[in-house]
Amino acid sequence: AIGGAPACSPSQPPVWPRRFKAVQRKTPPDDTGCRRGPCSDVTTYYDWDRQANLIIDHRDGANTTMWDLELGTHQSYYFYPEVRSCKFMQFPVGILRPNWLEGATFTGFSTVNGRRVLGYTKADFIDYWADASDCTPVRWFFHSMKANFDTAHYSEGEAIPDEAFFRPPAYCPNGTAETLFV
């Protein structure tokens, strides 16, 4: 287990640390070489204490980068800093709590990206693979996106480089929201 977090096992899914940075490669599961569709490099900054999760998604060949700022207030902002566009969404839930995988179904041991992993699935939402030796995330697959997120780098405790990144930019609307029920 990492950082004193409880060890994961078939009966105990991983518990996230209160803060981390993950750098991942997002690919369709049937086209990991990205020959037929868009793939992207994704950096996630998760901070439970600040009640914020920022996902920076740069699509291959794109001139813009999507920033997905999720807040514990149930508000999310999808924005593109290069063109100053933003969409505000209200969700029925806030950011994932560190033990959000609690209650997940264990799917077995396997090998992903050359690492021995424990697999879990939860609520027709996500499949999640954690390193069997230290419980760090190796891959997750979002069912609705139909996309793998393969971890290239994971750093527990790493803070966001600028606190302002956890605040929506001034050009983002915040009064009228679309409510998304998932």
Side-chain angles (χ1 to χ4, degrees):
I2 49 178
C8 55
S9 69
S11 62
Q12 175 61 51
V15 174
W16 278 1
R18 298 182 77 80
R19 178 186 297 160
F20 69 82
K21 174 186 177 184
V23 177
Q24 297 176 302
R25 183 75 175 146
K26 178 178 154 187
T27 63
D30 62 347
D31 184 24
T32 56
C34 306
R35 289 178 188 84
R36 296 187 310 273
C39 294
S40 56
D41 294 319
V42 177
T43 301
T44 300
Y45 292 96
Y46 173 86
D47 194 319
W48 177 253
D49 295 331
R50 288 188 174 82
Q51 286 291 289
N53 189 46
L54 176 63
I55 302 160
I56 303 170
D57 188 331
H58 184 78
R59 214 176 230 192
D60 293 356
N63 294 326
T64 60
T65 300
M66 183 190 70
W67 291 45
D68 170 3
L69 176 60
E70 303 166 350
L71 301 173
T73 59
H74 303 219
Q75 297 172 315
S76 288
Y77 299 86
Y78 300 90
F79 57 98
Y80 295 82
E82 300 88 350
V83 294
R84 298 177 53 90
S85 73
C86 182
K87 183 173 186 171
F88 171 67
M89 302 282 287
Q90 186 78 35
F91 286 90
V93 297
I95 69 168
L96 296 172
R97 64 188 192 282
N99 67 341
W100 68 274
L101 276 169
E102 188 173 273
T105 301
F106 180 66
T107 59
F109 287 95
S110 62
T111 301
V112 173
N113 297 330
R115 295 167 69 182
R116 182 164 166 73
V117 297
L118 297 98
Y120 306 88
T121 190
K122 183 153 186 187
D124 196 27
F125 167 62
I126 195 167
D127 295 338
Y128 190 99
W129 292 270
D131 187 288
S133 66
D134 64 10
C135 303
T136 57
V138 174
R139 169 185 288 164
W140 52 70
F141 173 81
F142 286 105
H143 296 189
S144 62
M145 282 184 183
K146 296 186 179 17
N148 285 328
F149 288 73
D150 288 311
T151 304
H153 173 77
Y154 180 81
S155 178
E156 179 181 345
E158 186 168 340
I160 193 131
D162 184 336
E163 289 297 319
F165 289 2
F166 279 161
R167 291 188 298 275
Y171 57 84
C172 282
N174 63 7
T176 57
E178 294 181 37
T179 302
L180 181 65
F181 294 96
V182 289

